[in-house]
Structures are given as C-alpha cells and as structure tokens.
Amino acid sequence: MYRSHVLICGGTGCVSSGARDVTESFRNAIRDRGLSDEVLVVPTGCHGMCEMGPIVVVYPEGTFYCRVQKSDVAEIVEEHIYKGRPVQRLMYSGSEDMPSIPRYKDIPFYGKQHRIALGNCGYINPDNIEEYIARGGYEALGKALSSMTPAQVIDEVKASGLRGRGGGGFPTGLKWSFCASAKGDKKYVICNADEGDPGAFMDRSILEGDPHCVIEGMMLGAYAMGADEGYIYCRAEYPLAIQRLKTAMAQAENYGLLGENIMGSGFSFTLHVKEGAGAFVCGEETALMASIEGRRGMPRPRPPFPANSGLWGCPTNINNVETWANVPPILRNGGAWYASKGTDKSKGTKVFALTGKIKHTGLVEVPMGITLREIIFDIGGGILDDKKFKAVQIGGPSGGCLTEEHLDTPVSYESLTALGAIMGSGGLVVMDETTCMVDVAKFFLEFTQKESCGKCVPCREGTKHMLLLLEKITKGKGTMEDLDTLEGLAHMVKDMSLCGLGQTAPNPVLTTLRYFRDEYVAHIRDRKCPAGACAALLEYRIIREACKKCGICARNCPVKCIPGDRNSGYHIETDRCIRCGTCFEKCPFGAIEKK
C-alpha cells in the first residue's frame, strides 16, 4: 500500500519531450530519499494535453504538473512528496497573468470531456495487466462468456447505438450481425489501426495507453460473431503502440485470457499483429485485408462485402481501434448506459485530435452533441495569439472545412454530413484569419492525390487534374473557367471513385468552394490572396515613413534584391523578390508591408 502515486505520461508525445528521463529521475530521487516503500512511480498512457508534456500527476491530491524536466524532479520529490508543499511554478496556468490550477480535474481542458474509450489512458500502466484488471478489465469478457449468448452480446451492442468510429459511422451491432449470420466454418475479426490522417493520433494513443481494452473488445466481438482468429493491422510507424500491444497479448495469454478455452468456456481466440507500411489507402477495409494477405494494398469493388467474403475469402468483421475500445465498457455497463449519452442518432462519445491554430492542442473525448464552439474555445482555449477564428477542418484530409457560422452546430454524424463535412476518424484542425482556404484545399488534396493507389481512373486522374488547377489558382494564373472545371471534377471524382479515399478526397475543395468562394475569386480576378499566405501573390514594400534606414532587411535578403544605403534609404525590387518574407520577419520597426 503506497501513500502516494506519481503518474508520468508515457505517450509518444511526452516520451519525445523527455518523459523517460523524467521517470527514471523520479525513481532515483524517491529511492535516494528513502521513500521507495511509500511512493510508487507509474508510467501511463497519454493524458491528451500533449503540448504540456511531459505531464506528471501526483496522487492522492491529483496535482497536475506540466512540462516537467529532469531538473525539476528533485524539487517535486523534496517539496511536494516529502514535505507536502506542491510546487506551484510547475502547475498548469491558462496564461502568464492567470493563477495556476493545481488539480487535474479543475483544468478547463478536461472539464467538458467524458472519457470512455480513453477511460484508462493516463491512469494505468499499459504494460501491467493487473492494473487493467483492477479497473474492471476483462470483466465484460467474463460476463459474456459465463452468462450471455453471442446473440445477446450483439443485441447489447445494438442497444448502445455505437457506430463505427473509423469514419463510416455504420451501426456496429448491425455490422456484427451480418458477420454472425454469414455461413462459414472460419471467421475473422480485424482491428483497423492504420491511422493515416495527418495530425491524428487517437488510435495510437489508445493502443499505447490501454491496449488491453482493444484486445478485450475484439474478443467480445469474436465471441459474438463466431470468429476464432483476429488481426490488429497497425502501421509500423507506431513502434510504441506495437510494443505495448505485444506485451499486452503475451500477458493475456499467460493469464489464460487469450488463446485456447478462455476462462474454461470453450471459446478460443488467437490474435496477431500485422505491421503495415503506412499507406493511407490501407485504411480502406478491402485494401487492408489485401495487405494482410501479402498482396498490394488496393481496394476492390463491393459486393461481396467482407462480412460474407473477407480475409482469405472468409466472413470477416473490421472495426477501428476506438470502436473496439468502446465495447468492453458497453458490455460492462449495458447498452442503455452508453445510449444515454450523445444525440438521438449519434450515441456515446467521440475522440478528437485537436490541432492547428489553437491554444491547447491534444486529444479530447467528448459526448456527441457537443458544439464545435465548446470543443475549440472551452476545451481548446480558443485561437492561438488571440487571433480571429476562421475555419475548422473536421474529418481529416477527406473531411470538410466549416466556418464561424457553424460553431454552434452540435457534433453528430448527421449534422456534419448535412454541412458537407464528415466525422471521419476524428481529426480536427483549427485555422485562424491568416489561413488561406484555397491553400488549405490544395494541401489536403496534395496529400490524398499522393496517397491514391491509382487503381481507378476517376481518383488517379481526377485528383491530379484538380491539384494542377489549385496550383494554378494559388499562383495567380487561374481563370473563372478553371473554377467551374475544378468544381465539376470534384463532383465526378466523388461520384465515380472506387473506394472511400476517392469518394471523399474532393470534400475539402467542395466545402471551401461552398463557404469561401470569394477567396477563390480574389485569387483569380484580383490576383490577391486575402489571407496573405500564397507566396506567389504577395508583394513586399518598404514603408518610407517607418523605415529607419538601418539596412537589416538588405543584409538578410537571400537574393540581395533590396538595394540602397543609409542616406538614400532602401527599396525592394519586386521583379527579383522571391517573396520569402525574410525582410518582413527581420525588420525590427515594422517598416515592411506585406500585401
């Protein structure tokens, strides 16, 4: 029995900020102070507030320390743990002029969150199965194997209203029932952990912070659908997640919770981890199965659907990491408990990766129905440097851009689809007034175009031509006819592509055309970028009244296109200027104007 626990975030973000060194320093300092029998150091999964890492939480007080370095450890051990005086300077504060907030649960970032899929992340050591069991782990599996039929498990998932969290939003219980009723002696379940959206790390954090919940969720699904073998398809770019998954699987096997005749029930389940090469298209389920089978990861037409003919031609069910992670709490607490959260048609919670021009980036889990304004301003703290909010890209590279007028929209599958966006896997990128929406559309289309597998012509050729048109427009060479062509191509690619990648790739273009058309027109008719972001359309000029003739701009110009001297002053030769912005950044007097 320990009087105090020191929980240190061991997610990838905090590890890259030095969490492992901090953990070792805590162990050494506690040992040197003779407190090893009283204080336990616990490396945990991600707390979500990644920009504040490495994060340390000291219990029982729940004191939240952020950006802790090795050099801070001795002070925390001596002052807080030994003398009972928390170290105020390392506590979280919203800004320099605001008082620090000592306790974890009082920080606004966590105030409106409701954690189910992330329920254990940040609280348990993911490498210790006993900590998972102590938090109710494998209780749902025991309940299902001892007192529920497979059909009753499916009914409970149906009652919860859980929908696939990988992007499609298809009802999970219904999907399970298709596979359960499919004919075949051999069936598979698959966990899609091929998280490829730029800036998204929801699935990675769950696997790193609570791998057993995904394993238990898959076992419950396998029992319900009659499968005896499963695969977790995880991109090799997630080495920590893969390491913790393998550790968790080995522990579960040692405890008799994975393998043959689990809990003496007669149910057997074998699980494998398949490392993918990181192709975005392998997030599509038929491409993913092709990759597991050792073939090139490319989608195929459906039907037949995987529920009838999936992996190696056998009935197969595929859900993503977050979907599987929700299953054990649903079986443990009942489908009605889960369905009591969210909206009429979008039940439960959703995990989002909050990134972009926002004060508090990180991972958040919120109830469905919460508004975008609450996520961005109440949880995320608002726009960085107090600039004006402009748009939010929701749903990853295949999602859509929404505007200020949509901030009070309740987040649900239906509401986002109605606005031209999608829930996707949960990427949420916030943009401020300095963001050019034409450039944003180009950025996301460049990503999806590169990731197109090239199998179908609409996606392969259509996205390429769309990208060429966007490059032309952002260079000030577009025409109004190009705009019509771009929109027509976007609809063609959306309607005729083979898989979800092509069918959703035009979304950023279509939503920016729908809500920010005036910016496209300004690039074409005025040859101007209203946000001042497209380099080819910028012009730098020295404001004579403000210029001190110091020559800093001229000395730092990489192409020497600012002639002059201290007597006559300086000017920028625009025909030679490469619009790199160095003069604008270096001038200490604000005498360079960017138009």
Side-chain angles (χ1 to χ4, degrees):
M1 192 72 177
Y2 296 92
R3 71 168 172 84
S4 186
H5 289 73
V6 179
L7 275 56
I8 304 168
C9 181
T12 291
C14 283
V15 166
S16 63
S17 300
R20 284 179 175 152
D21 288 341
V22 171
T23 304
E24 192 60 28
S25 296
F26 264 107
R27 286 181 172 141
N28 292 338
I30 287 168
R31 181 199 60 215
D32 294 345
R33 206 64 179 84
L35 298 173
S36 298
D37 294 334
E38 302 175 41
V39 181
L40 182 65
V41 176
V42 183
T44 71
C46 181
H47 285 260
M49 209 172 188
C50 303
E51 61 150 338
M52 290 290 169
I55 288 171
V56 175
V57 185
V58 180
Y59 286 100
E61 300 90 342
T63 305
F64 186 90
Y65 292 121
C66 48
R67 292 174 180 160
V68 177
Q69 299 300 311
K70 279 173 59 177
S71 55
D72 301 317
V73 171
E75 184 180 356
I76 295 174
V77 172
E78 181 65 22
E79 292 298 318
H80 185 163
I81 296 174
Y82 188 72
K83 298 178 179 176
R85 300 185 301 212
V87 182
Q88 191 166 348
R89 71 176 182 86
L90 294 171
M91 295 176 185
Y92 169 83
S93 174
S95 65
E96 291 182 358
D97 55 353
M98 292 178 68
S100 56
I101 301 174
R103 293 193 301 174
Y104 193 167
K105 65 179 184 180
D106 295 329
I107 296 172
F109 182 82
Y110 297 104
K112 288 196 173 182
Q113 292 197 47
H114 190 98
R115 296 191 158 212
I116 296 176
L118 297 176
N120 285 330
C121 293
Y123 287 98
I124 65 169
N125 180 349
D127 286 331
N128 188 336
I129 189 173
E130 293 181 357
E131 294 198 16
Y132 179 70
I133 291 172
R135 297 264 297 178
Y138 292 108
E139 184 182 318
L141 181 65
K143 175 182 173 183
L145 295 184
S146 63
S147 63
M148 298 176 75
T149 65
Q152 286 174 323
V153 173
I154 292 176
D155 287 344
E156 204 64 49
V157 175
K158 283 183 177 177
S160 73
L162 176 66
R163 297 168 65 171
R165 298 298 194 244
F170 195 83
T172 303
L174 186 60
K175 190 174 183 179
W176 286 18
S177 68
F178 293 157
C179 186
S181 61
K183 293 181 179 177
D185 296 330
K186 180 74 177 179
K187 295 181 182 179
Y188 293 95
V189 293
I190 295 175
C191 174
N192 183 349
D194 191 57
E195 186 175 50
D197 293 6
F201 54 102
M202 300 78 65
D203 292 349
R204 189 198 72 205
S205 293
I206 293 173
L207 292 175
E208 290 177 357
D210 194 11
H212 284 286
C213 76
V214 178
I215 295 170
E216 186 182 4
M218 292 184 71
M219 293 168 73
L220 287 162
Y223 172 69
M225 291 177 268
D228 64 357
E229 193 168 357
Y231 282 84
I232 299 175
Y233 187 87
C234 186
R235 51 180 50 216
E237 297 159 12
Y238 287 178
L240 184 58
I242 291 170
Q243 174 196 319
R244 288 182 175 163
L245 266 175
K246 290 181 176 178
T247 299
M249 288 163 55
Q251 290 176 345
E253 287 175 1
N254 288 338
Y255 274 67
L257 296 170
L258 187 62
E260 299 291 327
N261 192 24
I262 297 168
M263 298 183 185
S265 65
F267 169 64
S268 300
F269 185 65
T270 304
L271 189 57
H272 314 275
V273 175
K274 171 69 177 179
E275 297 183 31
F280 185 66
V281 74
C282 285
E284 199 279 338
E285 56 187 18
T286 60
L288 183 153
M289 289 188 293
S291 180
I292 291 177
E293 292 171 355
R295 296 182 289 118
R296 182 177 174 184
M298 299 177 85
R300 63 163 171 78
R302 294 175 294 179
F305 292 97
N308 295 308
S309 180
L311 195 61
W312 288 296
C314 300
T316 302
N317 172 271
I318 303 175
N319 285 122
N320 85 325
V321 172
E322 186 182 343
T323 310
W324 288 121
N326 274 301
V327 173
I330 288 172
L331 267 293
R332 203 163 53 237
N333 300 299
W337 164 81
Y338 192 81
S340 67
K341 306 162 192 2
T343 67
D344 284 346
K345 294 183 178 178
S346 298
K347 304 294 186 184
T349 60
K350 179 74 191 84
V351 181
F352 290 99
L354 199 52
T355 59
K357 306 287 184 64
I358 193 165
K359 289 179 181 174
H360 299 318
T361 58
L363 210 62
V364 303
E365 183 173 2
V366 292
M368 293 282 196
I370 193 172
T371 65
L372 289 169
R373 186 184 301 279
E374 289 175 284
I375 297 175
I376 295 167
F377 289 90
D378 296 346
I379 296 174
I383 308 304
L384 201 61
D385 299 326
D386 293 323
K387 289 184 177 175
K388 183 176 171 51
F389 169 86
K390 184 170 188 177
V392 57
Q393 159 81 4
I394 186 165
S398 301
C401 295
L402 303 180
T403 70
E404 187 170 10
E405 69 178 282
H406 303 125
L407 280 176
D408 293 314
T409 301
V411 173
S412 70
Y413 290 100
E414 291 73 25
S415 64
L416 295 177
T417 301
L419 295 174
I422 58 174
M423 184 79 73
S425 59
L428 209 152
V429 185
V430 179
M431 305 165 208
D432 68 15
E433 57 193 310
T434 64
T435 306
C436 170
M437 301 313 295
V438 184
D439 194 49
V440 165
K442 182 169 72 95
F443 170 81
F444 285 115
L445 194 67
E446 191 172 15
F447 174 82
T448 48
Q449 203 282 319
K450 283 181 179 175
E451 293 292 337
S452 171
C453 72
K455 184 171 183 175
C456 74
V457 175
C459 179
R460 183 185 70 231
E461 299 298 328
T463 55
K464 181 65 177 175
H465 282 281
M466 288 174 66
L467 182 59
L468 290 174
L469 287 170
L470 286 170
E471 289 174 345
K472 189 177 173 185
I473 293 170
T474 54
K475 290 177 181 174
K477 299 177 181 177
T479 65
M480 292 306 291
E481 289 74 24
D482 288 335
L483 210 53
D484 295 335
T485 305
L486 177 66
E487 194 160 18
L489 276 171
H491 285 294
M492 183 277 292
V493 172
K494 189 176 181 68
D495 294 341
M496 299 184 68
S497 291
L498 175 61
C499 78
L501 188 152
Q503 290 162 6
T504 56
N507 283 346
V509 174
L510 288 171
T511 52
T512 50
L513 279 170
R514 181 175 174 184
Y515 299 121
F516 299 94
R517 197 177 193 90
D518 57 328
E519 289 200 23
Y520 282 87
V521 174
H523 281 70
I524 294 170
R525 285 187 176 162
D526 305 332
R527 303 291 189 250
K528 296 289 183 184
C529 173
C534 293
L537 299 179
L538 293 180
E539 183 176 327
Y540 291 94
R541 188 179 72 86
I542 295 175
I543 305 170
R544 289 193 173 279
E545 297 76 19
C547 180
K548 305 298 182 187
K549 302 178 184 178
C550 63
I552 290 177
C553 57
R555 290 196 294 276
N556 284 281
C557 177
V559 294
K560 306 301 178 191
C561 73
I562 308 179
D565 54 45
R566 293 186 65 85
N567 295 320
S568 61
Y570 297 84
H571 71 278
I572 298 173
E573 295 179 341
T574 55
D575 57 333
R576 292 178 55 217
C577 175
I578 61 172
R579 298 165 180 82
C580 64
T582 301
C583 57
F584 183 81
E585 294 170 2
K586 294 291 183 181
C587 178
F589 308 109
I592 307 289
E593 183 181 32
K594 181 173 72 171
K595 294 183 11 180

